[in-house]
Amino acid sequence: VGRMAAADVVEVPLSITLTPNPLADGQLRAVVRGAGGELLSVELVDSRGNVIRSQTWPVADADQRIEWDVTARPSGVYLLRATQPGTNRQTQTVKVVKP
């Protein structure tokens, strides 16, 4: 008793849309969906697992836009990871190619 029925919660899976990929002009542009109104943390990780850049939104937009300048970073493959901590913890990761 006191629990919410699963049918009462509309769960939107966390998703990342990255355009363009490979990146153009050293600009990382992405939209994260599925964390609207909730805490969202996003980080860019290099091939060694080092966090290059991170940002946290206490209350994310339904379509949370990310625009990061990565011109100073060397060419290569990076990972963009979005995490929604809390009760319905979700993580989504996409590969980012910087020419």
Side-chain angles (χ1 to χ4, degrees):
V1 184
R3 287 185 176 183
M4 257 204 274
D8 295 344
V9 179
V10 177
E11 193 144 326
V12 178
L14 208 55
S15 70
I16 302 171
T17 305
L18 185 67
T19 52
N21 191 15
L23 304 183
D25 307 324
Q27 301 300 309
L28 186 155
R29 292 180 185 92
V31 175
V32 179
R33 290 184 182 87
E38 298 186 32
L39 180 65
L40 174 66
S41 179
V42 177
E43 56 190 17
L44 185 64
V45 181
D46 70 11
S47 59
R48 293 191 183 110
N50 299 314
V51 175
I52 304 302
R53 172 105 192 239
S54 65
Q55 191 169 349
T56 300
W57 293 266
V59 180
D61 292 337
D63 289 348
Q64 184 61 60
R65 297 193 177 284
I66 298 159
E67 292 191 18
W68 291 345
D69 183 342
V70 293
T71 47
R73 304 307 314 171
S75 297
V77 176
Y78 297 85
L79 295 177
L80 185 66
R81 183 182 309 136
T83 306
Q84 185 182 9
T87 51
N88 55 341
R89 182 178 169 83
Q90 297 185 73
T91 300
Q92 182 74 343
T93 305
V94 293
K95 201 180 288 188
V96 178
V97 178
K98 181 173 186 282

